[in-house]
Amino acid sequence: MSFVPNQNKPAILSELGSPVYAALHEAKGRKGLSFEQVAKAIGRSEIYTAAIFYGQAKPEPEDLSKLAELLDVPHEGLVDALGPNFWAHRGLGSMPPKDPVIYRLYEAILVYGHPLKHLIHEKFGDGIMSAIDFNGDVERIPDPKGDRCRLTLEGKFLAYKRW
Amino acid sequence: MSFVPNQNKPAILSELGSPVYAALHEAKGRKGLSFEQVAKAIGRSEIYTAAIFYGQAKPEPEDLSKLAELLDVPHEGLVDALGPNFWAHRGLGSMPPKDPVIYRLYEAILVYGHPLKHLIHEKFGDGIMSAIDFNGDVERIPDPKGDRCRLTLEGKFLAYKRW
Amino acid sequence: MSFVPNQNKPAILSELGSPVYAALHEAKGRKGLSFEQVAKAIGRSEIYTAAIFYGQAKPEPEDLSKLAELLDVPHEGLVDALGPNFWAHRGLGSMPPKDPVIYRLYEAILVYGHPLKHLIHEKFGDGIMSAIDFNGDVERIPDPKGDRCRLTLEGKFLAYKRW
Amino acid sequence: MSFVPNQNKPAILSELGSPVYAALHEAKGRKGLSFEQVAKAIGRSEIYTAAIFYGQAKPEPEDLSKLAELLDVPHEGLVDALGPNFWAHRGLGSMPPKDPVIYRLYEAILVYGHPLKHLIHEKFGDGIMSAIDFNGDVERIPDPKGDRCRLTLEGKFLAYKRW
Amino acid sequence: MSFVPNQNKPAILSELGSPVYAALHEAKGRKGLSFEQVAKAIGRSEIYTAAIFYGQAKPEPEDLSKLAELLDVPHEGLVDALGPNFWAHRGLGSMPPKDPVIYRLYEAILVYGHPLKHLIHEKFGDGIMSAIDFNGDVERIPDPKGDRCRLTLEGKFLAYKRW
Amino acid sequence: MSFVPNQNKPAILSELGSPVYAALHEAKGRKGLSFEQVAKAIGRSEIYTAAIFYGQAKPEPEDLSKLAELLDVPHEGLVDALGPNFWAHRGLGSMPPKDPVIYRLYEAILVYGHPLKHLIHEKFGDGIMSAIDFNGDVERIPDPKGDRCRLTLEGKFLAYKRW
Amino acid sequence: MSFVPNQNKPAILSELGSPVYAALHEAKGRKGLSFEQVAKAIGRSEIYTAAIFYGQAKPEPEDLSKLAELLDVPHEGLVDALGPNFWAHRGLGSMPPKDPVIYRLYEAILVYGHPLKHLIHEKFGDGIMSAIDFNGDVERIPDPKGDRCRLTLEGKFLAYKRW
Amino acid sequence: MSFVPNQNKPAILSELGSPVYAALHEAKGRKGLSFEQVAKAIGRSEIYTAAIFYGQAKPEPEDLSKLAELLDVPHEGLVDALGPNFWAHRGLGSMPPKDPVIYRLYEAILVYGHPLKHLIHEKFGDGIMSAIDFNGDVERIPDPKGDRCRLTLEGKFLAYKRW
Amino acid sequence: MSFVPNQNKPAILSELGSPVYAALHEAKGRKGLSFEQVAKAIGRSEIYTAAIFYGQAKPEPEDLSKLAELLDVPHEGLVDALGPNFWAHRGLGSMPPKDPVIYRLYEAILVYGHPLKHLIHEKFGDGIMSAIDFNGDVERIPDPKGDRCRLTLEGKFLAYKRW
Amino acid sequence: MSFVPNQNKPAILSELGSPVYAALHEAKGRKGLSFEQVAKAIGRSEIYTAAIFYGQAKPEPEDLSKLAELLDVPHEGLVDALGPNFWAHRGLGSMPPKDPVIYRLYEAILVYGHPLKHLIHEKFGDGIMSAIDFNGDVERIPDPKGDRCRLTLEGKFLAYKRW
């Protein structure tokens, strides 16, 4: 069961090939739900939930059932597109990013990348912060001088194996 | 007063032109200090302190005095190189990063960049998280399944001006 | 409600995905209006108004109502495409620009970028001119030796936070 | 007469080949002068003056005399390096810019480039704003919500010749 | 009025978005006319005429009338596509060029670019040869050792403004 | 016999490896000669002469003798560097060009490349204008509205062989 | 007369725009002919014949007649697509090549390019081997240790003109 | 035993790191030998011999002895640089090549790469022409219309293994 | 016989042009088969079998018969698309890879590429490990600290021919 | 204690900045040891040992002691360069690789990358093979048809965390 391609979909979604993502976004818009609400309803974090809508995560079967019910999209269609035979091709958009929101994250790496690497080594030793065994959060922190956006990225430290 | 170029400096520092950075790293190594200790001694955060050592921040005059004293490097040399006439050219290393530590941060943007953009918009509206009015932190979170590295990036939300 | 893709649309608009932009341009052309006239009618600046037609700004609900009325395009279609669920993916065209008009702006950065950076630092200190809390203007300045184009770009100065 | 290469010069100057630029910057720093002061002393605008220090403009003979006197650098050396046999190779730094100050200007083109092109055409017709018969200014505009940086770029309009 | 996309159009034309270019080429082919003949009929130079067929020039209203009549294509369609609301997005094809004909021109710049720059400076001073107030010609020069192709490129000299 | 590297040489010459080019430029400057004068003295065209100074042509033995005499540079040094064992590695500078003088030539190809290809085919058939059996000229054409720079590029037409 | 686009065509052909190439390949496949057989039938070499099928050569009128007859494809369609108004846009595929067969040729240039240049100069002087007045051949050379593929590339030597 | 870096060495050799290559070229020049003569003297083909001089082949011990004797360069130095501990890092120069001699070979792949791939498959099946078990030759073929350069590239056919 | 394009196909398959790959994946999914099962059924290795589904291998006629039977897809369609006239254009996806699974393999080359090259030379001499006469395997190795993925890549050593 | 830069070092080592790598390679060469022998002597695997020599691994203190003793290089120098203050910047060489040995590994990813991704997912689920908790081996497998090179890459499977 295939979704019908949607003329109004944001151009970035067309990189993902399947029309399922535009269908999910459209249904969420029609229901007037935020990702915060969708996340609560399906019992996932906000980032993980949004990642499903951008093809960057592989949902579990129960995620699909809950999404189908919450958003009134055909369950069979979700299973065909995002079910057991779906393996996410992660990585979306070209680099460097053109959009200023995403560019600012990229700039943080350009500016603080080497200092962060050095700190990670001093605190943990020779290894990396995993981007797989990984979770994160976005919060709005009220501040009288202007609210702040706090982004938490957390990954398991993985030591380089010596052999 | 110029520092003498150092043969053993990590290649990344040579992108910064001046030998002051290798001199700072070497002095810190000679003193056996971590960035955590240097940061505490000069009253700055760890990331900001490390950023000074990688040419990614403009230190205040008192930062230079404290660094000169702490590390036993000539104050005059630091002022010549990083004082009032120094304006940091931020951005270090080529992209995409080759080093796996920095690449994992880059990958987080590749994978979660569009979901994060969408969440920032839903929580704040049309605008960005600043990378200038910005601070951050790296922490080691003990975990029985393997300690985790928690990276906090926080920036003021800036709304797009309409005019 | 979806707009019908238009054969004659300039190729650059197809980067934006949705056919709404070609529909806006076509309606403006059919009405014989300049951006100066559209801007006056909706109470926005000329650059901001043109930015809406190129997917580079998020219009307010009242902007959409005024545009729908002014241009005789279906209001519902504008709301579907550019309303509350729309978050602009800014950044249009590839770099370096091929079009000579845009290239001259790019060249100004190639030639005067480092001098401008140095002047901004001397006048304001360590920080940037915001491209978000930002406005601009284009004027035609009569000149007997040939009229001149004056482009004003103005952004709030943002100081680098020290922490 | 050749200037001696300087260890502390910012890395960007090494793209320009000759050590004359680092010598000028160092002399200006030693004298404690801002570009505003140098510009006033030699009777040029601030941007044009800074452009000379970054190899992006060809100074006139009288500019060199005044610079030599003002900054106490050998006149003969300036004439050898920047005199009648010098033709500036304009264009400095790699693109996209990594430094956030310069990147924000670049981003203004990414976001407003096509709207600006359209407005220039509607106001002037088929042609460009010259980047050669060109001048500009940077001003600090006081503002209770945070001072603003106003950048004015002005160029003669050049119509495409039809033949 | 829209032209119908044509299956046989050369791939390069599809970069231009609108099907009007393929329609013009096809009509010219059907009439068996060379650009020399079309140019004579509309009173323009050969290069300028060919530039219209590749979306690289903005024709005047009378050019469109003459083309419509000469080539038997609907005048209304030409006005819709290339009339007052059309602003050429110049720059066609990717660089470096793959096609050997265009590559040889590119190679001439790779090899003779710096010598030409130096000669232009010695003959005119600090400035450029305009590519906007610009005209050109292609001629076939008979030669017993093999006819030669003479390309003339002529632009107004524009001096760098000092300010 | 090797030339001593020169501190003041324009950065572009360092791409060529050998210090002979800076030595030639410096000697020409010391003698106060233009390329027009050097060309006349050695009996070559201006472009070809300038090409020798930028490593883009292989001079004949008599060219070296005349240059050595005219410019008072050691003949032996010229023969070592540019004599029978020298084979020019043509192609200088990176693309797209950053310098505005050279960029305008590049832009002429971006804009008129496909029209020129089409005209060459209509006038000559399937083949190219050679960039090897090639000559050129730069002239200053007086014009009351501003002198013009006329660049002539002429190459033998080479037909594609069918086999 | 236009050919109908074919679903099964190799992706590389879609770079060429027109469906005529897929139609030629399909007809050749349907007839069970090798390029060796097609070449013999139309009196051209194998490489030249294959080049026609990949849009890399401009066939003569008699080539089209013979192909139409041999392959049972409509002659009128071939003339529309590849006849007098067709000028090949040569250059196919992106570089570096991904396909291992083509990559090995590319690698031969990476490894032997500079040695070959030096040998060509020693044997012929200052000039190039033409890629236009050019022919080639592919042969299977039986060899007990494994048959070898012999590729012959032959071009007229063109001496750099001195002027 | 290290060779002294040579000021006059062609810039391409500096990519290879060691000064041994410039020393070999210089000695060959001093002796007035062509690669044809060197090749004959050491009993290797011309291309292979030239490849040694450009760091693209690993010479055998006897090659080094013969080169040292023929060219009067210290044998110990050759063994240190190119002996048993040397493993060639093949691949020289950037792509696409700027030099016209090498570009023409590159262009042959751009134009004839896909036709050649197809012919190799039809003559040999699914596999490649090796660039390792590979040899080649350059010949000058006299021709009354201008001598031709014949380049033969021959490699063992390697079939894709199925497993 | 052509397969019908499938809306849900992973975007990566669209690089391959023909809809046959999506049809194979869909049929395999419908049958609920893993590549391990398909491989066993057609008597090929797992990697080779998966390579057929991604257009990276040329199947033998018996492979197509077995696949058609196993997966219930029309044999004629497979033969049209992947039979005797099909020559795989190998190389899929852009580099560097964005997907983290493939990136980790790429990173292994970035980090261990030069060490591996050195070891291959010490164990085998001057030559390469073939990627053509090549086979491989992926295994799951149980491990109490977390199962491991063992990837074996094996290729015939090919010595550089000296000639 | 700094090592003296070595003229003969392979160019790739200069990417690593410090002269310690050339010193290690030279000492190993002087001792006539293979990596197999060095690895055995220090009790590490061959790949890991070679990775130390190419700056791609952080040796343990005892590795440095053993290397200093085995190779007769000053221990203090090794500790200064590769001791507790050294954090490897992994990633060496540019991509795509030019050297054919390393290119073949890269090609294996181009050709088998997507099939391997699919197999990893079917065998392990949604996750990656780690390149950090990773080990490998290179073996020479005797084979009457030509010895084979077997490369084993083994990494812990890391499942994507759901949160």
Side-chain angles (χ1 to χ4, degrees), chain I residues 36 46 137-140, chain J residues 118-125:
Chain I
E36 194 187 352
E46 291 171 84
D137 200 18
V138 192
E139 290 161 280
R140 181 170 186 145
Chain J
H118 207 136
L119 287 171
I120 288 171
H121 288 320
E122 289 195 355
K123 287 177 185 292
F124 292 90

Side-chain angles (χ1 to χ4, degrees), chain D residues 36-57:
Chain D
E36 193 187 350
Q37 293 168 311
V38 178
K40 222 166 269 172
I42 69 169
R44 294 283 182 205
S45 68
E46 292 171 82
I47 295 181
Y48 194 81
T49 304
I52 293 173
F53 279 64
Y54 282 96
Q56 301 301 299

